[in-house]
């Protein structure tokens, strides 16, 4: 026990820039850092040292899911204790989050075949439409929102603003063709059809999303203007489009397929076509996370900024504009977590307690990661060939009312 506590002290004593109370499995507590701690970590059971040194993220994440670990505020009132604790770990240079001793083994890279991609997407997005309806906003948008008025926007307004922000960047002309790769539950593509008068095609590998988008198309009377395909984006073959969007998609294709992903975008664009690619990026370089890979996004990979830019230019696409929305995604995740915990009893009836602990950890950990700058989300506006007269000379057109 002395050896184990010595190891835990080594791991935790310098991992946070603020005092933290740690209560061990024998009921004894220790405060690491100077001052009154606002957060407490409770180890109900020992996590084996070998598991932590093999991969701290996976071992501690599973420990939280299995109630071997509790994270709470010392006064019991903080609903974002996980986010604050993980943010602190990112901010400390000596944290176990940054120490290579605690992240020796990363998840093995998967081959992102069409069959594997379908299985990975099914494991996350086909949990069930009813589950996502519980805590997403009415647009059913599961990506970063765009808060035009800071923290005063509600989530639905911010998601609608994001859709228009994306579409306005394309400077779309009525009657042109539009492809949305990874269309989700259809809000972006159907807004493009209904409000921008584009002829749209959406592509998804999620059966649940495919069914709901088809229902929306019929309900909105857009059968002659919109279609959704249940297939891999690589199966579009020789089809061409004037505009392409892809939101929260390239994180799923894998590092080995990134260049091919942008090659396909270039292939599907008409000459002088325009694409808006919105995705999570690490400015510090590409990375994966063993716990996220196992429980949240199997096969997921967050590419580095240099990697993305290299793949774009190597495929003869031109970068016309880039915009970072990191703080917007932090805010989005915080609202999602608040919404999720407001309906947690219902979610637990559907999915079980372990799943709900996992989901809460996922949302708060991601919010902390964006808040710390560990990850970012960037919109890349691309053209096939020089933008010429397809886009205005200045960015002001992106900010005008539709």
């Amino acid at each position: 026990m002395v050896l184990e506590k010595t190891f835990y002290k080594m791991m935790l004593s310098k991992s946070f820039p603020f005092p933290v109370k740690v209560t061990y499995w024998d009921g004894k507590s220790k405060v690491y850092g100077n001052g009154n701690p606002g957060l407490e970590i409770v180890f109900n059971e020992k996590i084996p040292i070998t598991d932590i040194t093999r991969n701290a993220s996976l071992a501690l994440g599973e420990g939280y899911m299995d109630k071997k670990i509790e994270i709470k505020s010392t006064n019991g009132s903080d609903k974002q204790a996980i986010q604050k604790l993980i943010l602190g770990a990112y901010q400390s240079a000596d944290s176990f989050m940054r120490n290579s001793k605690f992240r020796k083994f990363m998840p093995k890279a998967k081959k992102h075949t069409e069959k594997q991609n379908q299985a990975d997407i099914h494991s996350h997005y086909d949990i069930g439409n009813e589950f996502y309806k519980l805590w997403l906003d009415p647009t059913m948008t599961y990506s970063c929102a765009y808060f035009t008025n800071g923290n005063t926007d509600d989530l639905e307004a911010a998601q609608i603003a994001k859709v228009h922000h994306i579409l306005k960047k394309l400077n779309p002309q009525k009657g042109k063709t539009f492809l949305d790769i990874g269309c989700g539950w259809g809000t972006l593509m159907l807004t493009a059809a209904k409000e921008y008068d584009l002829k749209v095609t959406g592509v998804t590998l999620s059966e649940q999303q495919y069914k709901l988008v088809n229902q929306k198309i019929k309900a909105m009377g857009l059968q002659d203007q919109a279609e959704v395909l249940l297939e891999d984006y690589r199966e579009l073959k020789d089809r061409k489009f004037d505009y392409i969007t892809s939101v929260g998609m390239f994180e799923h294709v894998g590092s080995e397929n990134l260049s091919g992903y942008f090659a396909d975008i270039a292939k599907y664009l008409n000459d002088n076509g325009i694409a808006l690619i919105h995705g999570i990026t690490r400015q510090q370089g590409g990375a994966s996370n063993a716990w996220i890979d196992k429980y949240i996004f199997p096969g997921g990979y967050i590419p580095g900024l240099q990697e993305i830019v290299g793949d774009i230019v190597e495929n003869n696409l031109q970068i016309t504009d880039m915009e970072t929305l990191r703080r917007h995604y932090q805010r989005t995740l915080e609202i999602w977590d608040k919404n999720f915990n407001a309906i947690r009893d219902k979610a637990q009836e559907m999915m079980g307690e372990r799943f709900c602990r996992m989901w809460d950890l996922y949302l708060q950990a991601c919010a902390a990661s964006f808040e710390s700058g560990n990850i970012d989300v960037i919109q890349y506006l691309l053209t096939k060939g020089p933008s010429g007269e397809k886009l205005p000379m200045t960015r002001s057109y992106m900010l005008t009312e539709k």
Side-chain angles (χ1 to χ4, degrees), residues 58-70 291 294-296 353-359 361-362:
L58 182 60
L60 299 176
E62 290 181 333
Y64 183 80
M65 290 166 61
D66 294 331
K67 301 182 75 171
K68 295 177 182 178
I69 302 172
E70 299 288 352
W291 184 79
K294 183 173 181 179
Y295 290 100
I296 307 297
E353 182 181 10
R354 189 172 190 262
F355 175 93
C356 288
R357 290 177 67 86
M358 175 193 78
W359 206 259
L361 176 60
Y362 150 58

Side-chain angles (χ1 to χ4, degrees), residues 82-83 135 142 291-292 296 330 332-341 357-369:
I82 297 172
Q83 181 179 340
W135 55 275
Y142 188 33
W291 184 79
I292 291 286
I296 307 297
Q330 175 195 339
T332 303
L333 283 153
E334 288 169 350
I335 296 174
W336 282 346
D337 190 63
K338 180 180 178 181
N339 291 350
F340 175 73
N341 279 293
R357 290 177 67 86
M358 175 193 78
W359 206 259
D360 188 27
L361 176 60
Y362 150 58
L363 294 173
Q364 290 199 51
C366 287
S369 200

Side-chain angles (χ1 to χ4, degrees), residues 262-275:
F262 284 105
D264 282 332
I265 288 171
K267 180 177 72 172
Y268 299 144
L269 273 176
N270 283 322
D271 291 340
N272 298 314
I274 305 170

Side-chain angles (χ1 to χ4, degrees), residues 142-398:
Y142 188 33
S143 57
C144 174
Y146 183 64
F147 295 89
T148 57
N149 295 306
N151 289 340
T152 62
D153 291 349
D154 67 28
L155 183 57
E156 182 179 7
Q159 291 291 11
I160 292 171
K162 186 269 297 294
V163 167
H164 287 292
H165 191 53
I166 287 173
L167 292 171
K168 283 188 291 186
K169 284 186 176 184
L170 298 172
N171 195 36
Q173 306 303 306
K174 292 182 179 181
K176 298 291 188 177
T177 54
F178 173 95
L179 169 67
D180 189 16
I181 299 175
C183 65
W185 285 279
T187 298
L188 173 59
M189 61 173 282
L190 296 179
T191 301
K194 184 177 181 180
E195 300 189 37
Y196 292 78
D197 197 21
L198 298 175
K199 188 171 180 62
V200 308
T201 298
V203 178
T204 180
L205 286 173
S206 165
E207 294 180 2
Q208 294 282 323
Q209 291 176 346
Y210 173 75
K211 291 176 182 177
L212 187 57
V213 176
N214 266 320
Q215 292 172 9
K216 289 182 177 181
I217 289 172
K218 293 176 183 178
M220 297 169 71
L222 294 173
Q223 293 94 325
D224 295 333
Q225 201 171 345
E227 65 173 348
V228 59
L229 307 176
L230 182 63
E231 64 183 38
D232 193 285
Y233 70 95
R234 290 169 287 190
E235 296 177 355
L236 291 170
K237 298 180 181 177
D238 297 325
R239 294 189 64 174
K240 298 281 188 179
F241 300 87
D242 299 303
Y243 309 107
I244 295 177
T245 57
S246 186
V247 178
M249 170 64 190
F250 66 53
E251 303 93 314
H252 296 289
V253 305
S255 60
E256 76 279 13
N257 287 330
L258 272 173
S259 181
Y261 167 81
F262 284 105
D264 282 332
I265 288 171
K267 180 177 72 172
Y268 299 144
L269 273 176
N270 283 322
D271 291 340
N272 298 314
I274 305 170
L276 189 290
I277 310 302
H278 167 126
I280 301 173
T281 308
R282 284 192 87 246
Q283 295 200 26
Q284 304 90 334
S288 56
N289 177 282
W291 184 79
I292 291 286
D293 180 77
K294 183 173 181 179
Y295 290 100
I296 307 297
F297 294 112
Y301 171 74
I302 306 300
L305 180 58
Q306 288 181 310
E307 188 178 5
I308 288 287
V309 171
D311 287 331
I312 288 171
V313 299
E314 285 176 6
N315 286 290
N316 299 314
L317 294 165
Q318 295 211 0
I319 299 174
T320 300
D321 187 83
M322 290 173 58
E323 181 179 12
T324 176
L325 300 178
R326 178 182 62 81
R327 293 172 64 195
H328 294 262
Y329 217 158
Q330 175 195 339
R331 177 65 177 153
T332 303
L333 283 153
E334 288 169 350
I335 296 174
W336 282 346
D337 190 63
K338 180 180 178 181
N339 291 350
F340 175 73
N341 279 293
I343 55 84
R344 189 156 174 166
D345 289 345
K346 291 181 181 178
Q348 192 160 311
E349 288 178 10
M350 293 173 63
M351 313 299 293
E353 182 181 10
R354 189 172 190 262
F355 175 93
C356 288
R357 290 177 67 86
M358 175 193 78
W359 206 259
D360 188 27
L361 176 60
Y362 150 58
L363 294 173
Q364 290 199 51
C366 287
S369 200
F370 279 108
E371 185 175 3
S372 71
N374 179 56
I375 54 177
D376 203 339
V377 62
I378 297 176
Q379 290 187 348
Y380 306 83
L381 185 64
L382 312 176
T383 58
K384 187 175 181 179
S387 59
E389 297 180 357
K390 294 287 184 179
L391 294 172
M393 291 281 283
T394 72
R395 301 180 81 250
S396 59
Y397 80 97
M398 302 178 186

Side-chain angles (χ1 to χ4, degrees), residues 108-131:
K108 293 182 179 179
K110 291 184 178 180
K111 291 184 178 180
H112 285 73
T113 62
E114 293 183 13
K115 184 176 181 180
Q116 184 62 58
N117 273 8
Q118 188 170 19
D120 291 344
I121 294 299
H122 175 77
S123 71
H124 187 85
Y125 294 96
D126 285 340
I127 292 173
N129 290 343
E130 295 307 312
F131 169 71

